[in-house]
Amino acid sequence: MAPLRIRHALGTATIDIDLENGTVLELQQEIRKVTNIIPSLQDVKTGFPPRSITLVSELPIASLGLKRGDQLIISELKPTATTTAPAPLPAASVPSRSSNPSSTAKPQASPAQPRPAPKFVEPTPASSRTAQQPPVTPTPAPAAPTASVGTALQPAEEIQTPSGVV
């Protein structure tokens, strides 16, 4: 048994685990006991600077390259469709096509596909406008007022242009 230090949102803890004969699933279960994060949502980082390690539950812990006394930084991943999907149906409940070729299986509905983002149409420059759109002529700005000592300046008039107010 080797100690591993666990850092997580609730604090730190030390777990003892068999680094040579244990499986990654056993490590994930020990992490869950300490952090209450289910294995499919565990983000495990180690080293300096911390780097995420890929956890494959069937592999031995030795495949992760961990050593006695290493520190693991644990955070919770946000649930996604793959981490929160229900377990697949057992093979016995899937109809076999070869057993009765005359029967037709109903097609299963595919999962909802994400919609494409709406397309953004760039405004056309004034030189490519058609004859239907009259060109916009900006109103000339009035001459800047001159002020004598003791008088306040009046604000300039706003000009409306195709790109906004000037």
Side-chain angles (χ1 to χ4, degrees), residues 105-160:
K106 293 181 183 178
Q108 295 181 352
S110 62
Q113 296 294 324
R115 293 185 202 174
K119 293 182 180 178
F120 178 75
V121 179
E122 290 287 329
T124 58
S127 62
S128 66
R129 290 189 180 142
T130 61
Q132 298 170 352
Q133 298 175 337
V136 176
T137 54
T139 309
T146 58
S148 60
V149 177
T151 61
L153 289 175
Q154 297 297 324
E157 191 174 311
E158 293 180 345
I159 300 173
Q160 184 68 31

Side-chain angles (χ1 to χ4, degrees), residues 7-28:
R7 280 185 47 200
H8 55 96
L10 303 175
T12 59
T14 301
I15 60 172
D16 284 321
I17 194 138
D18 187 357
L19 294 176
E20 296 169 6
N21 299 318
T23 65
V24 172
L25 179 61
E26 291 169 352
L27 173 64
Q28 289 179 301

